[in-house]
PDB file of all heavy atoms in Angstrom:
ATOM      1  N   ILE P   1     -32.527 -59.413  24.994  1.00  0.00           N
ATOM      2  CA  ILE P   1     -32.315 -59.371  26.441  1.00  0.00           C
ATOM      3  C   ILE P   1     -30.841 -59.337  26.823  1.00  0.00           C
ATOM      4  O   ILE P   1     -30.443 -58.633  27.760  1.00  0.00           O
ATOM      5  CB  ILE P   1     -33.042 -60.546  27.140  1.00  0.00           C
ATOM      6  CG1 ILE P   1     -32.977 -60.351  28.659  1.00  0.00           C
ATOM      7  CG2 ILE P   1     -32.468 -61.894  26.717  1.00  0.00           C
ATOM      8  CD1 ILE P   1     -33.887 -61.258  29.419  1.00  0.00           C
ATOM      9  N   ALA P   2     -29.991 -60.059  26.096  1.00  0.00           N
ATOM     10  CA  ALA P   2     -28.567 -60.065  26.448  1.00  0.00           C
ATOM     11  C   ALA P   2     -27.983 -58.663  26.340  1.00  0.00           C
ATOM     12  O   ALA P   2     -27.269 -58.195  27.236  1.00  0.00           O
ATOM     13  CB  ALA P   2     -27.801 -61.039  25.551  1.00  0.00           C
ATOM     14  N   ALA P   3     -28.296 -57.965  25.245  1.00  0.00           N
ATOM     15  CA  ALA P   3     -27.793 -56.601  25.074  1.00  0.00           C
ATOM     16  C   ALA P   3     -28.400 -55.663  26.107  1.00  0.00           C
ATOM     17  O   ALA P   3     -27.719 -54.780  26.640  1.00  0.00           O
ATOM     18  CB  ALA P   3     -28.102 -56.106  23.663  1.00  0.00           C
ATOM     19  N   ALA P   4     -29.701 -55.853  26.418  1.00  0.00           N
ATOM     20  CA  ALA P   4     -30.361 -54.993  27.402  1.00  0.00           C
ATOM     21  C   ALA P   4     -29.717 -55.134  28.775  1.00  0.00           C
ATOM     22  O   ALA P   4     -29.505 -54.145  29.488  1.00  0.00           O
ATOM     23  CB  ALA P   4     -31.848 -55.331  27.475  1.00  0.00           C
ATOM     24  N   ILE P   5     -29.378 -56.368  29.147  1.00  0.00           N
ATOM     25  CA  ILE P   5     -28.756 -56.603  30.446  1.00  0.00           C
ATOM     26  C   ILE P   5     -27.348 -56.005  30.478  1.00  0.00           C
ATOM     27  O   ILE P   5     -26.962 -55.336  31.446  1.00  0.00           O
ATOM     28  CB  ILE P   5     -28.725 -58.107  30.756  1.00  0.00           C
ATOM     29  CG1 ILE P   5     -30.146 -58.614  31.024  1.00  0.00           C
ATOM     30  CG2 ILE P   5     -27.821 -58.402  31.951  1.00  0.00           C
ATOM     31  CD1 ILE P   5     -30.255 -60.120  31.147  1.00  0.00           C
ATOM     32  N   GLN P   6     -26.581 -56.247  29.422  1.00  0.00           N
ATOM     33  CA  GLN P   6     -25.219 -55.709  29.371  1.00  0.00           C
ATOM     34  C   GLN P   6     -25.221 -54.190  29.450  1.00  0.00           C
ATOM     35  O   GLN P   6     -24.473 -53.581  30.232  1.00  0.00           O
ATOM     36  CB  GLN P   6     -24.522 -56.179  28.098  1.00  0.00           C
ATOM     37  CG  GLN P   6     -23.072 -55.717  27.988  1.00  0.00           C
ATOM     38  CD  GLN P   6     -22.415 -56.209  26.706  1.00  0.00           C
ATOM     39  OE1 GLN P   6     -23.081 -56.562  25.739  1.00  0.00           O
ATOM     40  NE2 GLN P   6     -21.100 -56.239  26.690  1.00  0.00           N
ATOM     41  N   GLN P   7     -26.064 -53.557  28.637  1.00  0.00           N
ATOM     42  CA  GLN P   7     -26.139 -52.104  28.652  1.00  0.00           C
ATOM     43  C   GLN P   7     -26.691 -51.596  29.978  1.00  0.00           C
ATOM     44  O   GLN P   7     -26.254 -50.559  30.495  1.00  0.00           O
ATOM     45  CB  GLN P   7     -27.005 -51.624  27.491  1.00  0.00           C
ATOM     46  CG  GLN P   7     -26.394 -51.917  26.124  1.00  0.00           C
ATOM     47  CD  GLN P   7     -27.390 -51.756  24.988  1.00  0.00           C
ATOM     48  OE1 GLN P   7     -28.540 -51.360  25.203  1.00  0.00           O
ATOM     49  NE2 GLN P   7     -26.961 -52.073  23.770  1.00  0.00           N
ATOM     50  N   GLY P   8     -27.657 -52.340  30.544  1.00  0.00           N
ATOM     51  CA  GLY P   8     -28.244 -51.931  31.807  1.00  0.00           C
ATOM     52  C   GLY P   8     -27.239 -51.949  32.943  1.00  0.00           C
ATOM     53  O   GLY P   8     -27.173 -51.002  33.745  1.00  0.00           O
ATOM     54  N   PHE P   9     -26.445 -53.003  33.019  1.00  0.00           N
ATOM     55  CA  PHE P   9     -25.418 -53.053  34.058  1.00  0.00           C
ATOM     56  C   PHE P   9     -24.413 -51.916  33.874  1.00  0.00           C
ATOM     57  O   PHE P   9     -23.958 -51.304  34.849  1.00  0.00           O
ATOM     58  CB  PHE P   9     -24.708 -54.402  34.063  1.00  0.00           C
ATOM     59  CG  PHE P   9     -25.370 -55.431  34.941  1.00  0.00           C
ATOM     60  CD1 PHE P   9     -25.778 -56.656  34.426  1.00  0.00           C
ATOM     61  CD2 PHE P   9     -25.583 -55.184  36.286  1.00  0.00           C
ATOM     62  CE1 PHE P   9     -26.390 -57.598  35.232  1.00  0.00           C
ATOM     63  CE2 PHE P   9     -26.193 -56.123  37.111  1.00  0.00           C
ATOM     64  CZ  PHE P   9     -26.607 -57.332  36.578  1.00  0.00           C
ATOM     65  N   GLY P  10     -24.076 -51.622  32.612  1.00  0.00           N
ATOM     66  CA  GLY P  10     -23.163 -50.511  32.365  1.00  0.00           C
ATOM     67  C   GLY P  10     -23.730 -49.192  32.865  1.00  0.00           C
ATOM     68  O   GLY P  10     -23.019 -48.381  33.473  1.00  0.00           O
ATOM     69  N   ALA P  11     -25.035 -48.977  32.634  1.00  0.00           N
ATOM     70  CA  ALA P  11     -25.674 -47.738  33.082  1.00  0.00           C
ATOM     71  C   ALA P  11     -25.727 -47.660  34.600  1.00  0.00           C
ATOM     72  O   ALA P  11     -25.488 -46.595  35.186  1.00  0.00           O
ATOM     73  CB  ALA P  11     -27.086 -47.645  32.501  1.00  0.00           C
ATOM     74  N   VAL P  12     -26.026 -48.787  35.260  1.00  0.00           N
ATOM     75  CA  VAL P  12     -26.120 -48.779  36.721  1.00  0.00           C
ATOM     76  C   VAL P  12     -24.741 -48.553  37.344  1.00  0.00           C
ATOM     77  O   VAL P  12     -24.586 -47.750  38.273  1.00  0.00           O
ATOM     78  CB  VAL P  12     -26.748 -50.093  37.239  1.00  0.00           C
ATOM     79  CG1 VAL P  12     -26.732 -50.133  38.769  1.00  0.00           C
ATOM     80  CG2 VAL P  12     -28.182 -50.231  36.739  1.00  0.00           C
ATOM     81  N   VAL P  13     -23.732 -49.244  36.834  1.00  0.00           N
ATOM     82  CA  VAL P  13     -22.369 -49.041  37.342  1.00  0.00           C
ATOM     83  C   VAL P  13     -21.937 -47.594  37.149  1.00  0.00           C
ATOM     84  O   VAL P  13     -21.329 -46.972  38.037  1.00  0.00           O
ATOM     85  CB  VAL P  13     -21.388 -50.002  36.645  1.00  0.00           C
ATOM     86  CG1 VAL P  13     -19.943 -49.628  36.953  1.00  0.00           C
ATOM     87  CG2 VAL P  13     -21.653 -51.441  37.082  1.00  0.00           C
ATOM     88  N   GLY P  14     -22.263 -47.020  35.987  1.00  0.00           N
ATOM     89  CA  GLY P  14     -21.902 -45.637  35.732  1.00  0.00           C
ATOM     90  C   GLY P  14     -22.576 -44.674  36.690  1.00  0.00           C
ATOM     91  O   GLY P  14     -21.949 -43.708  37.170  1.00  0.00           O
ATOM     92  N   ALA P  15     -23.856 -44.919  36.996  1.00  0.00           N
ATOM     93  CA  ALA P  15     -24.579 -44.042  37.917  1.00  0.00           C
ATOM     94  C   ALA P  15     -24.003 -44.139  39.327  1.00  0.00           C
ATOM     95  O   ALA P  15     -23.875 -43.127  40.027  1.00  0.00           O
ATOM     96  CB  ALA P  15     -26.061 -44.404  37.920  1.00  0.00           C
ATOM     97  N   ILE P  16     -23.645 -45.358  39.744  1.00  0.00           N
ATOM     98  CA  ILE P  16     -23.052 -45.532  41.078  1.00  0.00           C
ATOM     99  C   ILE P  16     -21.724 -44.784  41.163  1.00  0.00           C
ATOM    100  O   ILE P  16     -21.432 -44.094  42.146  1.00  0.00           O
ATOM    101  CB  ILE P  16     -22.864 -47.032  41.385  1.00  0.00           C
ATOM    102  CG1 ILE P  16     -24.222 -47.716  41.514  1.00  0.00           C
ATOM    103  CG2 ILE P  16     -22.056 -47.227  42.669  1.00  0.00           C
ATOM    104  CD1 ILE P  16     -24.138 -49.235  41.633  1.00  0.00           C
ATOM    105  N   GLY P  17     -20.913 -44.912  40.124  1.00  0.00           N
ATOM    106  CA  GLY P  17     -19.636 -44.207  40.106  1.00  0.00           C
ATOM    107  C   GLY P  17     -19.814 -42.706  40.114  1.00  0.00           C
ATOM    108  O   GLY P  17     -19.079 -41.980  40.807  1.00  0.00           O
ATOM    109  N   ALA P  18     -20.793 -42.203  39.350  1.00  0.00           N
ATOM    110  CA  ALA P  18     -21.037 -40.764  39.304  1.00  0.00           C
ATOM    111  C   ALA P  18     -21.485 -40.221  40.656  1.00  0.00           C
ATOM    112  O   ALA P  18     -21.261 -39.049  40.969  1.00  0.00           O
ATOM    113  CB  ALA P  18     -22.086 -40.443  38.235  1.00  0.00           C
ATOM    114  N   ALA P  19     -22.117 -41.077  41.460  1.00  0.00           N
ATOM    115  CA  ALA P  19     -22.570 -40.663  42.784  1.00  0.00           C
ATOM    116  C   ALA P  19     -21.455 -40.752  43.820  1.00  0.00           C
ATOM    117  O   ALA P  19     -21.663 -40.379  44.981  1.00  0.00           O
ATOM    118  CB  ALA P  19     -23.751 -41.527  43.221  1.00  0.00           C
ATOM    119  N   GLY P  20     -20.281 -41.252  43.414  1.00  0.00           N
ATOM    120  CA  GLY P  20     -19.189 -41.435  44.363  1.00  0.00           C
ATOM    121  C   GLY P  20     -19.448 -42.558  45.344  1.00  0.00           C
ATOM    122  O   GLY P  20     -18.853 -42.607  46.423  1.00  0.00           O
ATOM    123  N   SER P  21     -20.331 -43.476  44.955  1.00  0.00           N
ATOM    124  CA  SER P  21     -20.667 -44.601  45.822  1.00  0.00           C
ATOM    125  C   SER P  21     -19.966 -45.859  45.326  1.00  0.00           C
ATOM    126  O   SER P  21     -19.079 -45.797  44.463  1.00  0.00           O
ATOM    127  CB  SER P  21     -22.189 -44.798  45.855  1.00  0.00           C
ATOM    128  OG  SER P  21     -22.560 -45.769  46.823  1.00  0.00           O
ATOM    129  N   HIS P  22     -20.386 -47.017  45.831  1.00  0.00           N
ATOM    130  CA  HIS P  22     -19.737 -48.275  45.463  1.00  0.00           C
ATOM    131  C   HIS P  22     -20.722 -49.416  45.679  1.00  0.00           C
ATOM    132  O   HIS P  22     -21.659 -49.309  46.476  1.00  0.00           O
ATOM    133  CB  HIS P  22     -18.487 -48.497  46.322  1.00  0.00           C
ATOM    134  CG  HIS P  22     -18.784 -48.496  47.796  1.00  0.00           C
ATOM    135  ND1 HIS P  22     -19.216 -49.607  48.478  1.00  0.00           N
ATOM    136  CD2 HIS P  22     -18.722 -47.491  48.721  1.00  0.00           C
ATOM    137  CE1 HIS P  22     -19.408 -49.309  49.749  1.00  0.00           C
ATOM    138  NE2 HIS P  22     -19.115 -48.028  49.933  1.00  0.00           N
ATOM    139  N   PRO P  23     -20.546 -50.538  44.961  1.00  0.00           N
ATOM    140  CA  PRO P  23     -21.415 -51.696  45.188  1.00  0.00           C
ATOM    141  C   PRO P  23     -21.271 -52.226  46.611  1.00  0.00           C
ATOM    142  O   PRO P  23     -20.189 -52.206  47.185  1.00  0.00           O
ATOM    143  CB  PRO P  23     -20.925 -52.721  44.159  1.00  0.00           C
ATOM    144  CG  PRO P  23     -20.250 -51.898  43.104  1.00  0.00           C
ATOM    145  CD  PRO P  23     -19.617 -50.749  43.838  1.00  0.00           C
ATOM    146  N   ALA P  24     -22.389 -52.709  47.163  1.00  0.00           N
ATOM    147  CA  ALA P  24     -22.384 -53.235  48.526  1.00  0.00           C
ATOM    148  C   ALA P  24     -22.821 -54.695  48.567  1.00  0.00           C
ATOM    149  O   ALA P  24     -23.224 -55.200  49.623  1.00  0.00           O
ATOM    150  CB  ALA P  24     -23.298 -52.394  49.420  1.00  0.00           C
ATOM    151  N   GLY P  25     -22.728 -55.382  47.435  1.00  0.00           N
ATOM    152  CA  GLY P  25     -23.111 -56.784  47.375  1.00  0.00           C
ATOM    153  C   GLY P  25     -23.122 -57.254  45.949  1.00  0.00           C
ATOM    154  O   GLY P  25     -22.908 -56.464  45.010  1.00  0.00           O
ATOM    155  N   PRO P  26     -23.360 -58.541  45.727  1.00  0.00           N
ATOM    156  CA  PRO P  26     -23.339 -59.072  44.366  1.00  0.00           C
ATOM    157  C   PRO P  26     -24.500 -58.542  43.528  1.00  0.00           C
ATOM    158  O   PRO P  26     -25.612 -58.340  44.041  1.00  0.00           O
ATOM    159  CB  PRO P  26     -23.448 -60.590  44.570  1.00  0.00           C
ATOM    160  CG  PRO P  26     -24.091 -60.751  45.904  1.00  0.00           C
ATOM    161  CD  PRO P  26     -23.624 -59.592  46.733  1.00  0.00           C
ATOM    162  N   PRO P  27     -24.276 -58.315  42.242  1.00  0.00           N
ATOM    163  CA  PRO P  27     -25.353 -57.830  41.369  1.00  0.00           C
ATOM    164  C   PRO P  27     -26.387 -58.922  41.143  1.00  0.00           C
ATOM    165  O   PRO P  27     -26.107 -60.115  41.277  1.00  0.00           O
ATOM    166  CB  PRO P  27     -24.612 -57.485  40.080  1.00  0.00           C
ATOM    167  CG  PRO P  27     -23.432 -58.387  40.072  1.00  0.00           C
ATOM    168  CD  PRO P  27     -23.021 -58.538  41.506  1.00  0.00           C
ATOM    169  N   PHE P  28     -27.592 -58.495  40.780  1.00  0.00           N
ATOM    170  CA  PHE P  28     -28.620 -59.491  40.474  1.00  0.00           C
ATOM    171  C   PHE P  28     -29.651 -58.915  39.517  1.00  0.00           C
ATOM    172  O   PHE P  28     -29.718 -57.694  39.285  1.00  0.00           O
ATOM    173  CB  PHE P  28     -29.284 -60.028  41.743  1.00  0.00           C
ATOM    174  CG  PHE P  28     -29.995 -59.011  42.603  1.00  0.00           C
ATOM    175  CD1 PHE P  28     -31.359 -58.792  42.479  1.00  0.00           C
ATOM    176  CD2 PHE P  28     -29.305 -58.292  43.578  1.00  0.00           C
ATOM    177  CE1 PHE P  28     -32.026 -57.889  43.285  1.00  0.00           C
ATOM    178  CE2 PHE P  28     -29.960 -57.387  44.400  1.00  0.00           C
ATOM    179  CZ  PHE P  28     -31.326 -57.177  44.254  1.00  0.00           C
ATOM    180  N   LEU P  29     -30.433 -59.803  38.951  1.00  0.00           N
ATOM    181  CA  LEU P  29     -31.535 -59.451  38.063  1.00  0.00           C
ATOM    182  C   LEU P  29     -32.846 -59.881  38.695  1.00  0.00           C
ATOM    183  O   LEU P  29     -32.908 -60.899  39.394  1.00  0.00           O
ATOM    184  CB  LEU P  29     -31.405 -60.149  36.707  1.00  0.00           C
ATOM    185  CG  LEU P  29     -30.181 -59.856  35.855  1.00  0.00           C
ATOM    186  CD1 LEU P  29     -30.225 -60.716  34.595  1.00  0.00           C
ATOM    187  CD2 LEU P  29     -30.101 -58.388  35.488  1.00  0.00           C
TER     188      LEU P  29
END
């Protein structure tokens, strides 16, 4: 689970950046 969460956050951050968007609040699980 630790690796899945770390990799998952990396994928989500990457997708947001690729869309030219930005986070709008704190991350959560």
Side-chain angles (χ1 to χ4, degrees):
I1 188 168
I5 290 172
Q6 183 180 20
Q7 294 166 3
F9 271 124
V12 175
V13 169
I16 293 172
S21 188
H22 57 85
F28 61 95
L29 299 177

